[in-house]
Amino acid sequence: MSPNLSALAYLVAAICFVMSLRGLSSPATARRGNIYGIVGMVIAVLTTIANPQVVGYDLILAGLLIGGAIGTVIALRIQMTAMPQLVAAFHSLVGMAAVMVAAAALYAPESYGIGTTENIKIASLIEMTIGLIIGAITFSGSIVAFAKLQGLVGGSPVIFWGQHWLNLLLGLLIVAGASYFCVSQSKEVFWIVTALAFLIGIMIIIPIGGADMPVVISMLNSYSGWAAAGIGFTLENTALIVTGALVGSAGAILSYIMCRAMNRSFVSVILGGYGADHSDNETIDSDKTVKPGSAADAAFIMKSAESVIIVPGYGLAVAQAQHAVREMADLLTESGVRVRYAVHPVAGRMPGHMNVLLAEANVPYDDVFELDQINSDFSTTDVAFVIGANDVTNPAAKRNPQSPIAGMPILDVENSRTVLFVKRSLSAGYAGIDNELFYQDSTMMLFGDAKQMTEDIVKSL
């Protein structure tokens, strides 16, 4: 393929990626956005393979077959509840790919057209070093995030004295090592910088608790994009540069939105500078009493109401109750009840988790509202039906300055006349704290599996 034709194909692929991001900005156009992304990636891959510099296709074909097979199996088997940790795992692969490409460029610069061994162009050294550092941080940070989300390690923040000073020291050592490497081209220094970057990737994620994991996911998404862009310069691949920049900037914007939703400092998130110590958290008070109810009670209350707001959370995802909830909402609507959905920006374990589940159940987009659109309506709502959403409805965010979720905007379901809370037990949410909402006089606890309870409500309706 000629250079001009290759550049044109990469431009078309880049346009497809931009259209993909645009489509993914709304559930109504997300399917079309995915199609644009697939088309753009196919064009980019075929254009790269058609490059005259490619002389052997055996390893490329093997990689495509193996990777495609693994991806297909994962896509067919993965549950929505495991999607956040899957995304974290994919981010780690992007990071490691950046590290491996940087290492390959160092040991075989002739293959990349960036010079010869120990005589690599300074611009290429800077580019590959940036890609290396960001890639290593993305890999190790994503592994920690995956382990927390998968439950392999505790979700609580890991905090110790002098942590920030240690991070600062590691950062300075990385900058100094990277600078020396660009001058000396020492392979030993290259691997020392790599090891330090892996370490700081761990250090900036371990102090982040479970309640803040959605921010971590979007932040690592941004890191993976910048790592790809850095390596794109090393490979002199326009498509990789553009794609990496798009992913990096989109992830950064999403991180900023998540930080605003959780009242966090964007700079602190990037540097791993926040996370609360759970040692002083509230514990579940066994002396408090709750008001349990049944599916029949819930059906009677909601059918007698004029307005109902459904608040979905991670419990809905675990139980796969979205279709039952949609059926319940349809029956209430037929009875003349106004039904809407309130989605917190960080409900679930990753941004957009609840929106995807509701879309899967064909819930009308016009009935789904974000926090800032619907929060003021709870005070005039008869019933708030909370199904598995714990931390994002916890009044402790407003009342307890020592809470891990302190300052995080929450859905003000406590202001509703009646709160129906579907939960298996009184156990704490992912942030590890008790929910004051359970013990309000206006709250009725519906203990049981979210899907089964909702189906029982449907039968009663």
Side-chain angles (χ1 to χ4, degrees), residues 1-3 6 47-57:
M1 181 179 291
S2 66
S6 177
T47 303
T48 302
I49 292 176
N51 192 310
Q53 293 179 320
V54 177
V55 295
Y57 291 93

Side-chain angles (χ1 to χ4, degrees), residues 335-353:
S335 300
V337 181
R338 185 188 183 193
V339 180
R340 291 170 292 169
Y341 298 81
V343 177
H344 194 281
V346 295
R349 298 285 170 84
M350 66 181 294
H353 202 170

Side-chain angles (χ1 to χ4, degrees), residues 62-73:
L64 287 174
L65 292 175
I66 295 173
I70 294 174
T72 301
V73 171

Side-chain angles (χ1 to χ4, degrees), residues 84-85 87-88 91 145 148-149 155 205 208-222 251-259 261-262 264 269 274 314 344-354 391-392 405 408 430-431:
Q85 49 264 51
V87 172
H91 288 160
K148 286 193 173 191
L149 290 166
I205 300 300
I208 300 177
D212 302 317
M213 269 300 147
V215 182
V216 175
I217 295 297
S218 58
M219 179 182 68
L220 291 171
N221 178 61
S222 179
I253 293 170
L254 182 58
S255 297
Y256 177 72
I257 294 173
M258 293 295 103
C259 288
M262 301 183 72
R264 305 298 193 191
V269 172
Y274 72 98
Y314 188 67
H344 194 281
V346 295
R349 298 285 170 84
M350 66 181 294
H353 202 170
M354 294 302 106
D391 298 326
V392 297
I405 60 173
M408 182 180 82
Y430 201 48

Side-chain angles (χ1 to χ4, degrees), residues 211-374:
D212 302 317
M213 269 300 147
V215 182
V216 175
I217 295 297
S218 58
M219 179 182 68
L220 291 171
N221 178 61
S222 179
Y223 286 178
S224 67
W226 296 124
I231 293 304
F233 281 103
T234 302
L235 298 175
E236 297 183 349
N237 187 298
T238 306
L240 193 54
I241 296 172
V242 173
T243 305
L246 285 172
V247 173
S249 55
I253 293 170
L254 182 58
S255 297
Y256 177 72
I257 294 173
M258 293 295 103
C259 288
R260 287 182 57 192
M262 301 183 72
N263 196 31
R264 305 298 193 191
S265 165
F266 181 66
V267 175
S268 294
V269 172
I270 294 174
L271 300 178
Y274 72 98
D277 183 355
H278 285 208
S279 59
D280 295 327
N281 289 350
E282 305 168 52
T283 55
I284 296 176
D285 189 343
S286 59
D287 295 331
K288 294 180 180 179
T289 58
V290 299
K291 181 167 62 177
S294 65
D297 296 330
F300 176 79
I301 292 172
M302 286 193 285
K303 196 168 185 177
S304 303
E306 291 184 1
S307 62
V308 173
I309 296 179
I310 299 173
V311 181
Y314 188 67
L316 176 140
V318 172
Q320 291 290 289
Q322 61 269 29
H323 297 283
V325 169
R326 166 68 195 276
E327 186 178 0
M328 180 188 77
D330 288 345
L331 289 173
L332 290 172
T333 301
E334 291 173 6
S335 300
V337 181
R338 185 188 183 193
V339 180
R340 291 170 292 169
Y341 298 81
V343 177
H344 194 281
V346 295
R349 298 285 170 84
M350 66 181 294
H353 202 170
M354 294 302 106
N355 301 77
V356 173
L357 287 174
L358 295 177
E360 183 184 0
N362 293 318
V363 171
Y365 302 129
D366 294 340
D367 293 343
V368 181
F369 297 87
E370 299 294 337
L371 179 145
D372 56 347
Q373 297 175 307
I374 201 171

Side-chain angles (χ1 to χ4, degrees), residues 82-202:
M83 193 61 69
Q85 49 264 51
L86 176 66
V87 172
F90 282 168
H91 288 160
S92 73
L93 296 178
V94 176
M96 181 54 73
V99 173
M100 300 305 289
V101 170
L106 174 64
Y107 282 87
E110 299 86 353
S111 300
Y112 295 85
I114 58 176
T116 58
T117 303
E118 298 184 358
N119 190 28
I120 301 174
K121 292 184 293 187
I122 185 65
S124 297
L125 287 170
I126 294 173
E127 294 161 2
M128 62 191 286
T129 303
I130 293 174
L132 163 74
I133 294 172
I134 300 177
I137 292 173
T138 303
F139 173 77
S140 56
S142 298
I143 292 298
V144 174
F146 171 83
K148 286 193 173 191
L149 290 166
Q150 187 66 17
L152 302 178
V153 299
S156 300
V158 178
I159 299 174
F160 53 85
W161 182 87
Q163 190 170 31
H164 298 309
W165 289 109
L166 177 57
N167 287 347
L168 177 61
L169 176 61
L170 289 173
L172 293 175
L173 287 174
I174 289 173
V175 172
S179 302
Y180 182 71
F181 165 72
C182 290
V183 174
S184 66
Q185 302 187 31
S186 168
K187 293 181 175 61
E188 291 76 15
V189 174
F190 175 91
W191 291 113
I192 290 174
V193 171
T194 303
L196 290 173
F198 279 138
L199 180 57
I200 200 171
I202 296 173

